[in-house]
Structure formats: C-alpha cells, structure tokens
Amino acid sequence: MTLARRAAVRAARRPVTLAAAVCAIALIAPVASADPLRLRADALASTASPAGLLVLDTEAAVRAGVSAEAVVWMANAHAPGEASTGDVLVVAVRARMRRADARVGRFVATLGALRPEHVDGGGVRVQLPRRIDAEFVAGVPVVAGGMAWGWVVGSRLSRRIGDGGSVGIAYAQRRDDGMLAREELGLDAGAALGVRGDAAARVAYDLANPGLAEVALTASYRRRGLRGEAYAIHREASHLLPATSLFSVIGDVPSQRAGTVVTWRAAPRLDVIGDAGLRLVGGDAGAELTLRARLRLDDRGRSMLSGELRRSGVGEDMWTGARGAARIALPHALAVTTELELVVPDADRGRGAAWPWALAALAWDGGAWQAAVAVEASASPEYRGRVDVLGQLGRRWGR
Amino acid sequence: MTRASLALACIALAACAGVLGLRRSSLPEVFPHRAHVVAGVSCTRCHAGVDVPGPALHLPDDAVCTSCHTRPHDTRSCAGCHASRTAVAELVEARAHLRFDHARHAGATRGNCMRCHDAVAGDAARLRPPMATCFRCHDEARDARKCETCHRDLADEGALPASHLAHDGDWIREHGARAASSGDLCATCHDRESFCASCHGRTAPVLPAATRFGDPQRQSLHRAGFAARHALEARSDPGACTTCHAPDRCASCHTAKGVAGDGRGTPHGAGWVGPTASENRHGREARRDPASCAACHGGAGEKLCVTCHAVGGVGGNPHPPGWSSRQPLTAMPCRMCHPTGAAR
C-alpha cells in the first residue's frame, strides 16, 4: 500500500474513531447508575494556534469492579505539528477481579523499564502466588491522526519486595508493516530501604540493534526536613528510534547525566531545592545547576511565591535562566498568578541575546466551574515580541 | 560577616518569622491527651459514642469539658484554643475518605484505644495511626495492594505516599525510574488511563491539564518560556523528546509554522557539510542526536545519508566498529545499500 493511500485511509478512519469515542461517552452515562458519573469538559482558547481546544473527559463505574473512561479532544484549528483537528486520547474499559485486572481499548501501556507505548489493544495483569505479578499487553501502536500498520506485544514479570518495592523483567516487540521496528528487554528494581531511604533502577537493552538503550539509577535518603537524592542517566538516542531508521545505524554517541538533588525544608513554610549535576553529550560537557525556593504564604499553601535560578545545556547550547512565580489567593475563590522567566543563551547565533517570558493570570475555582484568563508576553528566537491572550473554562459533573 | 549585618539578618528573620511559619503562638495548642490518660480519664468519657457506628465525629463539646473543669478560665469555646484546627480538619477528611468503623475494632482491641492510638502517650499533634499500625492485622490487604479496603478514593483524598514514592525533588525526571518498578503502586492513586496518556499519549497536541496557567507551581516539562528554549533543551538531552513525541514532530511543527524545512530555509549554518573535517559538523551532530536529524530526514529522506555514506563512497562505511543487527537485510533501511539482501 502506498504512503498516499495509507494517509487517505488514516484520514478516513479519524472521524470514525472520534465518533466511536463520543458514542462511548454517551453510552457510559446512562449505564453508570451504580456510581456517579464523572464528566469534565475543558475549553481552552488562545490567540495563538491552536486557537481553540475542547477536551471531554469522562469516567464511570459501570458496575462493581468494572470502570470505563474516555478522553476526547477537538481543536477548531490545526494544532502545530499535528495533522488532525481532533482525536481520542483514551477510551478504555477496565475490569478488576480478586487477583487480576484487565483493560481493553486505547491506553498507554507501561511495562517496567521499557518506554511507554500508546496502544489500541488490551492488557491483563495477574497476581500469582509468592508475590509474583505477570502482565501482558498486545495491540496496535497509536500514531497521531490514525492507525499504525503494525502491532506491539509485551510482557513483564515482577516480584514485589516489602511494602513499596519490586524487581521485574520486561520484554516488548513492535513490528511496523511486518518488519521488526523495536525489540527491547528491560530490567527494573526499586525498594524502600528502611524508613528513610529508597532506591530505584531501570535498564533497557535494545535487542534489535544490540546495545544499551537507557539506564536510570536513583537513590534517596531523608532525615527530618532534609532529603538528598543521587541520580545517573545513560541514554543512547539511536536506540530510541525505530530500528527501521538509518539513524539507528549511524548514531552511537550516548548522553549521560549524573548529579544530586537536595531538598531542604528550611522553615515550616519555606522549601529550598538545589540540583547540581554534570551532563555529557558526544564529548561535550556541561553543568546542570538549579536552585529553587518555594515559600507558602499560608499553612495550606494556597498562596505561594517561588524563585528559581538555572544553568543548563551542553557546549554551544548552554543557557542561564531565572524564573519567578507567585500565586496569591483572593476572596471569592479567586487567585491571581504571575510568572516571569528570563533566559540568556551563551551563543545567541542571531536569535536574540535574551528571551524574556511573562504571564499574568486570574483564576477562579468555583468547585464545579473553573475559569482562568491570562496574558502572555514573550520574546524568542521565533518572535521578536509577542503577546497572546489565553482563556480556559472548565466544568465538572459528579464528584 | 560584621556584627551589624548579623544583627540585621536576625532582625530580618524575626520580622519574617510569621511568614516562614516559625512563629506559631497564635495557633491552637495540641490537646494534652497524655495528661488526661494519666489522670485516669477514659477515652470514651470525652469521646462518647465512638464505638457506635455513624457519621458523628465524636469530638467533645464544651459541656463535656466543663463536667470536670467546672470553672473555665475563659468564656470562649474550649476547642478554640485547646484543640488543633488541623487535627479536626484531618478528622473530617478521614471520615470522608476512609472506610473505618471504630465499633468493629473495639472487640479486637478489647476496648484499648491506645493499642492503635499509641501516639497519645507522646502528646503528638497527629493521633491517626500510621498505615503500619493497620498492617499489623490487615497484612492481606497490603500484600494484595487492595488500597480500597480502607481508602474510598485515593485521588480525591490527595494523600501522598510517605516514603518510597514521595514526590519531592525533580519528580518529572525521577518518576520514570520509580514507576518502572512500582507502577502498580502509582496506580493506587493515578489509576486513570488518562493520567499517563496526558503526557505519554501520541494523539493530543496539548491538554489543559498540562497547561494550567492559573497554577504556576504545577510541575510540567513545558512550563514558562519552553517554546523559546526548546531547541537548546532538545539538543542537550538527546532522545528525551521522543519519550512522548513522534520522531517527526519537530519537522511537522516547524513546517506548520514556516520556521524551517520545507525548502524555506535550513536550520543548518555554515560548515555543516564540506570536504574537510572542520566543515563537517553534520556527522558529529548526527551521532550526538540522531533523533533531531530523523525529525526532518526520516523515512525516504534518509537516502540523503547513503548517497555519501556507502562503502566506497566519500563518506565511507556508515556502520560503526563492531556493528551488528538482527534485522533482515531485505528490510529498511538495510536494503538501501543491500538491495539483494547480501552483505558486502
């Protein structure tokens, strides 16, 4: 089948998929009499593209142990980078039994250390004896604006450790047009180490083009108001591309990042967070430094001030930035918020020496109804100066 | 630091004590439970009816207090000063979100409240037993991860896990490693499919949940002026974008905005391709972040590479040393150079 033919078929299927999801929402509502139906509608309007976005989000317990949910979005203009004006994000039915749960529909499948995959299909998780869990997922990979011509299957076997940890092994294979596009093996482990420490690790190995795809390690320790965390990430971008890409052949430069994050509750209402790390990409090295402070102006944190200084990037892509944000709660469920950010790139390359960005918003949370209006102003490599107005209106039904 | 600046810092700290939450004298004090227990006052004398099922909170009113404290020192309500407001709020929340019945536990504990509420002995502000106390008896619910045994709705309750999955620090970076091993734990609160899909889904351009501009403290990868700095961030963290976005996302967006590609300009500056090493930045950049190249030159565009990078061509063998693959040579992209399916 030619690419043009496929595109035409995808375009033809899009309204069908969207209509099916809207019908699913309509069907869920009357069936869900056992438990209140939750429905949420959000409308986002902006003077910048996409000019309008409507999101319908519903969830209901169809009967004991069976629940359904759907999220559908529609835009009145083509969103940047997307070919469609509407699509289904999620439409899924989930059933829970005593030692198993199953789901079918469109959802994001997460199998341990492997990358999340958005699929149209089904999955089942079973609790076996000796605290062992088995999980299986199969379906068609979701692509924006239609359906892919391929399939993905995956499985994970894990064993729980203590109250908050487990170790697992996962495998997934994806084929596009019948050809191997991705085959990965993942190992994951995580556990609470006593009441103060914990550690987690994930490793993904590319079996199609043998080599490490991704490794992430993290360990943390907390004591009173202080929490320290060490992390390390190794990623080979070439192995994250479909194996059918030539770039999976020529790319073999890994990127690495390691550092430590310290969170300190300096005062009951003041948190200070520091992140110091090092980034290595293809022979270039760069520091990753962040200092962030957050001050709650009341005990519940309804009003809050925050500030952040950041130094990030690698080689010629390094930049320095500062950001401040405030949220002040007002009477009558109103809140005024403002954010300011200034980014100064090390090498401007004619794109401007500094990129300021600012936003001021007024938000109202009336329980069932929520609304916000904001003015955003910025200067960027794309626009010397730009002002946009954003509006958001949300309504919730049910709990 | 001079004495003057030290003094100034102390004055500033004192002035800000209220804002920082250091000065708490205006708040109600913790109720002296321990003193009452030591004095031999039974729990049910003040919390009468706690062992009877029902929606009541069983908090003592002024009449209960004045039955012993016959001459109160103030005309205001006792609870206004002698009870923590946050404790009362927690009690209300617990009643709304937890499935718990004191009456059913009275028999198992033989009427000894301290068996679960052992924090009373230390006059702690928070008397609700920790989950570990529940697990002393209800270990089956823990092993089966049946949170709904006690919690009606964790998402509405807003309870955060106390240890392993505390959402501190840079949670956006950390959550992947944690969720890999504890995805089912995450699902106890975030059990909706749309929670993961709102970021990792392939179909949505942007959802309001990810752009709550009325809540600037909400963590998000694309907050603030991300549009301006996205190119710097993408090149500094190769492969990160493709966690959520399709590899062709860059090209489709840039084409839609008319910024680059589509024959209307190129993002590559001078020295991108040339006869000498110093004029060949494209090789280094391609190996550093092949995803960014694939954004524009994916699919059929990859022919661009093999026109030079072929055995005997000016670019030489495209495979790095030690290259191996399980893909059949008749599949793309191998057949671009191996049309007969034979290795050369």
Side-chain angles (χ1 to χ4, degrees):
Chain A
M1 188 177 284
T2 65
L3 288 173
R5 169 74 179 140
R6 268 183 217 168
V9 172
R10 282 177 185 173
R13 281 183 177 176
R14 198 179 309 137
V16 177
T17 315
L18 203 58
V22 173
C23 288
I25 290 175
L27 286 171
I28 286 168
V31 175
S33 54
D35 200 53
L37 171 74
R38 296 184 192 191
L39 180 64
R40 182 182 176 98
D42 281 291
L44 181 74
S46 164
T47 52
S49 180
L53 190 69
L54 177 66
V55 181
L56 294 174
D57 181 347
T58 185
E59 181 192 17
V62 179
R63 56 188 233 198
V66 180
S67 61
E69 71 173 286
V71 180
V72 178
W73 64 270
M74 288 157 270
N76 75 343
H78 283 199
E82 301 293 343
S84 64
T85 54
D87 213 329
V88 178
L89 188 65
V90 167
V91 55
V93 177
R94 173 182 281 210
R96 290 188 184 85
M97 288 141 274
R98 183 173 169 76
R99 292 269 171 195
D101 64 78
R103 52 187 170 162
V104 63
R106 173 171 288 188
F107 57 90
V108 171
T110 51
L111 290 169
L114 306 182
R115 290 205 152 197
E117 186 90 54
H118 202 183
V119 296
D120 288 320
V124 62
R125 193 165 73 90
V126 184
Q127 289 181 356
L128 303 172
R130 297 183 179 276
R131 310 186 79 186
I132 293 173
D133 290 352
E135 193 172 355
F136 306 92
V137 173
V140 177
V142 173
V143 294
M147 288 182 69
W149 297 91
W151 48 263
V152 59
V153 292
S155 179
R156 177 173 179 259
L157 200 64
S158 65
R159 189 182 191 284
R160 278 170 280 142
I161 302 168
D163 292 341
S166 73
V167 57
I169 181 167
Y171 169 84
Q173 184 180 129
R174 174 175 168 171
R175 286 183 180 266
D176 292 339
D177 295 327
M179 292 187 298
L180 184 67
R182 201 189 90 181
E183 188 178 20
E184 280 185 329
L185 186 69
L187 295 170
D188 61 81
L193 309 173
V195 294
R196 300 188 189 282
D198 53 62
R202 54 179 276 194
V203 178
Y205 188 84
D206 186 348
L207 294 168
N209 301 311
L212 274 179
E214 196 167 14
V215 179
L217 309 170
T218 173
S220 69
Y221 182 82
R222 71 188 67 78
R223 188 179 176 84
R224 294 176 187 269
L226 202 62
R227 179 181 185 272
E229 179 198 330
Y231 64 88
I233 300 166
H234 170 97
R235 187 180 284 153
E236 303 230 15
S238 61
H239 289 283
L240 304 173
L241 289 170
T244 49
S245 166
L246 184 65
F247 295 101
S248 61
V249 177
I250 64 168
D252 64 345
V253 172
S255 67
Q256 285 128 355
R257 186 181 167 193
T260 183
V261 182
V262 176
T263 306
W264 176 40
R265 177 148 291 187
R269 290 181 187 168
L270 177 65
D271 292 336
V272 180
I273 301 164
D275 183 344
L278 183 69
R279 206 192 276 274
L280 298 169
V281 183
D284 291 331
E288 190 72 25
L289 303 169
T290 305
L291 182 64
R292 189 182 305 139
R294 204 165 41 208
L295 176 65
R296 289 175 292 279
L297 298 178
D298 55 68
D299 285 341
R300 296 182 76 94
R302 284 176 298 188
S303 296
M304 198 180 285
L305 303 176
S306 69
E308 180 179 323
L309 297 171
R310 192 169 163 195
R311 174 83 174 148
S312 182
V314 169
E316 293 178 346
D317 297 322
M318 292 210 70
W319 57 277
T320 306
R323 178 172 176 253
R327 176 186 160 88
I328 308 296
L330 302 173
H332 307 295
L334 288 166
V336 61
T337 68
T338 182
E339 288 180 82
L340 301 165
E341 183 181 278
L342 181 66
V343 169
V344 179
D346 283 14
D348 67 14
R349 296 180 192 159
R351 299 169 300 175
W355 306 330
W357 178 91
L359 181 140
L362 181 68
W364 174 69
D365 187 348
W369 286 94
Q370 289 156 345
V373 61
V375 179
E376 181 185 37
S378 63
S380 67
E382 190 181 353
Y383 300 102
R384 186 177 293 274
R386 176 172 179 151
V387 177
D388 288 313
V389 179
L390 302 95
Q392 190 173 334
L393 182 66
R395 173 77 165 97
R396 284 190 304 184
W397 292 267
R399 275 194 298 159
Chain B
M1 185 183 286
T2 64
R3 285 185 180 179
S5 55
L6 190 63
L8 200 62
C10 290
I11 291 168
L13 191 64
C16 297
V19 174
L20 295 171
L22 296 169
R23 181 165 51 83
R24 309 186 70 85
S25 58
S26 60
L27 293 175
E29 61 187 48
V30 175
F31 185 81
H33 276 99
R34 181 186 167 83
H36 286 72
V37 172
V38 170
V41 180
S42 72
C43 302
T44 51
R45 181 162 177 189
C46 298
H47 301 283
V50 72
D51 50 353
V52 177
L57 293 176
H58 308 296
L59 291 173
D61 56 15
D62 290 351
V64 174
C65 301
T66 52
S67 67
C68 294
H69 303 282
T70 50
R71 285 192 285 178
H73 62 89
D74 202 315
T75 55
R76 290 175 293 180
S77 171
C78 307
C81 298
H82 295 287
S84 163
R85 270 188 225 125
T86 54
V88 174
E90 280 187 5
L91 195 59
V92 172
E93 293 225 331
R95 183 52 57 89
H97 296 294
L98 292 179
R99 290 190 178 93
F100 186 82
D101 188 353
H102 276 103
R104 290 180 61 188
H105 288 76
T109 58
R110 296 177 185 171
N112 181 6
C113 306
M114 293 279 284
R115 199 162 165 195
C116 296
H117 295 282
D118 51 2
V120 164
D123 264 344
R126 195 167 195 270
L127 295 181
R128 191 204 297 179
M131 283 207 299
T133 304
C134 309
F135 292 152
R136 281 187 215 150
C137 302
H138 301 287
D139 53 348
E140 189 186 340
R142 175 196 59 186
D143 289 349
R145 300 272 164 85
K146 297 286 184 192
C147 304
E148 62 271 22
T149 305
C150 301
H151 296 273
R152 291 180 202 276
D153 190 327
L154 274 167
D156 272 6
E157 187 180 340
L160 287 178
S163 63
H164 180 55
L165 296 173
H167 299 2
D168 288 337
D170 186 354
W171 185 246
I172 286 180
R173 174 187 50 70
E174 194 185 348
H175 83 282
R178 306 276 179 193
S181 63
S182 304
D184 56 335
L185 267 188
C186 304
T188 56
C189 295
H190 310 292
D191 63 337
R192 303 189 68 223
E193 303 294 344
S194 58
F195 183 80
C196 299
S198 64
C199 291
H200 292 285
R202 292 277 178 180
T203 66
V206 61
L207 289 179
T211 59
R212 293 268 166 80
F213 45 80
D215 185 3
Q217 309 301 340
R218 192 185 187 89
Q219 279 197 326
S220 169
L221 277 175
H222 298 167
R223 270 222 90 89
F226 178 79
R229 54 187 156 80
H230 76 284
L232 303 183
E233 296 211 11
R235 284 199 293 267
S236 298
D237 197 2
C241 305
T242 50
T243 303
C244 305
H245 300 294
D248 64 349
R249 176 64 189 260
C250 310
S252 55
C253 192
H254 278 232
T255 303
K257 287 175 170 262
V259 177
D262 201 21
R264 285 180 287 174
T266 170
H268 309 311
W272 188 250
V273 180
T276 63
S278 61
E279 294 174 343
N280 263 319
R281 284 197 298 121
H282 77 283
R284 177 174 166 275
E285 294 294 327
R287 289 181 192 280
R288 186 166 132 174
D289 186 12
S292 64
C293 304
C296 297
H297 302 296
E302 290 176 344
K303 281 193 291 190
L304 193 67
C305 306
V306 292
T307 50
C308 296
H309 291 282
V311 176
V314 292
N317 188 347
H319 299 301
W323 167 255
S324 68
S325 175
R326 290 183 52 228
Q327 281 186 274
L329 289 173
T330 50
M332 285 291 280
C334 311
R335 70 168 183 248
M336 293 166 85
C337 297
H338 305 273
T340 62
R344 287 189 278 178

